[in-house]
């Protein structure tokens, strides 16, 4: 039963993936890969990208396709709606497809992405060209959302790599990479929300147009639709606390 259920889930996912517009699957994307404006493109870094836009009437459907190097989390009006990409290699760089219409509202809206590159501290399994993010609308009528210099960028000063000596401490081969340490005094709280003031942010660097399979001799990432379902995100509340020591007050 479990195997049949899993196969059915994968088949349904693949059918949904086939709804992607042929212009996205078969042609150079109008959207451009964008990256840090300071050009430290292969170093460790965590980056914020934002784009505000207006909607006169919320559509029934608005598909977008997005990816990043190394990884990303994507927000619409402050709500996380996607993360990825599914791990591949530079010749098979996967993108996610998301319908953002349910998260839009009439008037001003905000798209925001958290993108990070672990650089030399990345896991062994992580392929990478350089720090970058791309978002492409499925229909040409929504191409104003595509990543380009209309977007804004800021490097986060809150993050730093930690646990850099795991292999040495364990005296063993260590393949999972480093961890992150976050200084909340430096964190840009609310950066993904509409009310955040981004006037000090700058335009990102333009890298190249998105390219599907078979396009571009200088292509850094060969974009292909994600082939596995996304990870499930479900809030899990802790159970009843049986005992506690060294703490005061109500938890």
């Amino acid at each position: 039963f479990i195997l049949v259920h899993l196969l059915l889930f994968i088949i349904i996912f693949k059918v949904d993936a086939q709804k992607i517009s042929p212009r996205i699957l078969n042609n150079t994307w109008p959207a451009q890969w964008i990256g840090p404006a300071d050009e430290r493109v292969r170093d460790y870094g965590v980056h914020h990208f934002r784009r505000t836009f207006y909607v006169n009437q919320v559509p029934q459907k608005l598909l977008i396709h997005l990816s990043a190097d190394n990884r990303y989390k994507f927000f619409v009006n402050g709500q996380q709606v996607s993360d990825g990409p599914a791990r591949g290699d530079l010749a098979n760089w996967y993108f996610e497809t998301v319908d953002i219409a349910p998260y839009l509202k009439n008037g001003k809206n905000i798209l925001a992405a958290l993108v990070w590159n672990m650089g030399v501290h990345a896991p062994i399994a992580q392929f990478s060209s350089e720090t970058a993010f791309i978002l492409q609308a499925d229909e040409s009528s929504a191409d104003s959302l595509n990543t380009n210099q209309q977007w804004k960028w800021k490097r986060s000063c809150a993050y730093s790599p930690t646990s850099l000596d795991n292999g040495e401490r364990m005296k063993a081969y260590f393949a999972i990479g480093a961890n992150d340490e976050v200084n909340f005094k430096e964190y840009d709280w609310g950066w993904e929300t509409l009310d955040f003031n981004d006037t000090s942010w700058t335009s990102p660097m333009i890298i190249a147009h998105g390219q599907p399979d078979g396009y571009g001799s200088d292509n850094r990432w060969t974009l292909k639709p994600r082939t596995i379902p996304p990870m499930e995100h479900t809030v899990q509340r802790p159970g009843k606390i049986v005992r506690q020591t060294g703490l005061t007050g109500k938890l």
Side-chain angles (χ1 to χ4, degrees), residues 34-50 68-75 112-119 130-133 152-159 187-188 191 201-202 204-205:
I34 57 176
D38 55 16
E39 298 187 4
R40 291 182 288 175
V41 295
R42 292 183 175 86
D43 294 344
Y44 171 93
V46 178
H47 309 268
H48 300 309
F49 296 91
R50 286 168 53 95
D69 186 345
N70 299 156
R71 307 282 293 167
Y72 76 87
K73 291 183 179 180
F74 179 68
F75 304 80
L114 176 71
V115 177
W116 64 96
N117 187 339
M118 294 302 291
E130 59 187 274
T131 307
F133 174 67
K152 289 190 172 184
W153 160 83
K154 182 185 179 185
R155 178 185 293 271
S156 175
C157 297
Y159 293 82
Y187 191 80
D188 292 300
W191 68 271
W201 291 28
T202 188
M205 178 177 66

Side-chain angles (χ1 to χ4, degrees), residues 3-37:
L3 179 59
V4 172
H5 182 74
L6 178 61
L7 289 174
L8 179 60
F9 187 34
I10 293 174
I11 290 171
I12 291 174
F13 179 80
K14 287 185 175 180
V15 169
D16 288 342
Q18 290 173 0
K19 296 179 181 179
I20 299 171
S21 170
R23 81 177 186 121
I24 302 304
L25 296 174
N26 303 324
N27 301 282
T28 297
W29 290 12
Q32 296 170 305
W33 286 95
I34 57 176

Side-chain angles (χ1 to χ4, degrees), residues 53-55 57-65 97-104 111 135-139 141-145:
F53 66 102
Y54 289 85
V55 172
Q57 183 175 359
V58 174
Q60 290 186 340
K61 183 177 71 171
L62 204 170
L63 290 183
I64 61 167
H65 315 290
T97 298
V98 183
D99 181 5
I100 63 171
Y103 309 98
L104 300 179
L111 306 178
L135 183 151
Q136 170 66 57
D138 190 67
E139 297 294 336
S141 59
D143 272 348
S144 59
L145 304 181

Side-chain angles (χ1 to χ4, degrees), residues 39 83 157 166 185 202 231 249:
E39 298 187 4
D83 61 273
C157 297
N166 287 327
K185 290 183 178 180
T202 188
M231 297 282 287

Side-chain angles (χ1 to χ4, degrees), residues 93-135:
W93 200 271
Y94 297 109
F95 63 86
E96 281 71 41
T97 298
V98 183
D99 181 5
I100 63 171
Y103 309 98
L104 300 179
K105 60 183 181 180
N106 292 336
K108 193 175 182 180
N109 293 263
I110 178 72
L111 306 178
L114 176 71
V115 177
W116 64 96
N117 187 339
M118 294 302 291
V120 297
H121 310 302
I124 299 299
Q126 180 65 60
F127 287 83
S128 177
S129 175
E130 59 187 274
T131 307
F133 174 67
I134 193 167
L135 183 151

Side-chain angles (χ1 to χ4, degrees), residues 191-211:
W191 68 271
E192 75 280 21
T193 63
L194 190 58
D195 295 332
F196 183 82
N197 184 356
D198 61 6
T199 54
S200 64
W201 291 28
T202 188
S203 297
M205 178 177 66
I206 298 300
I207 301 172
H209 284 279
Q211 301 283 6

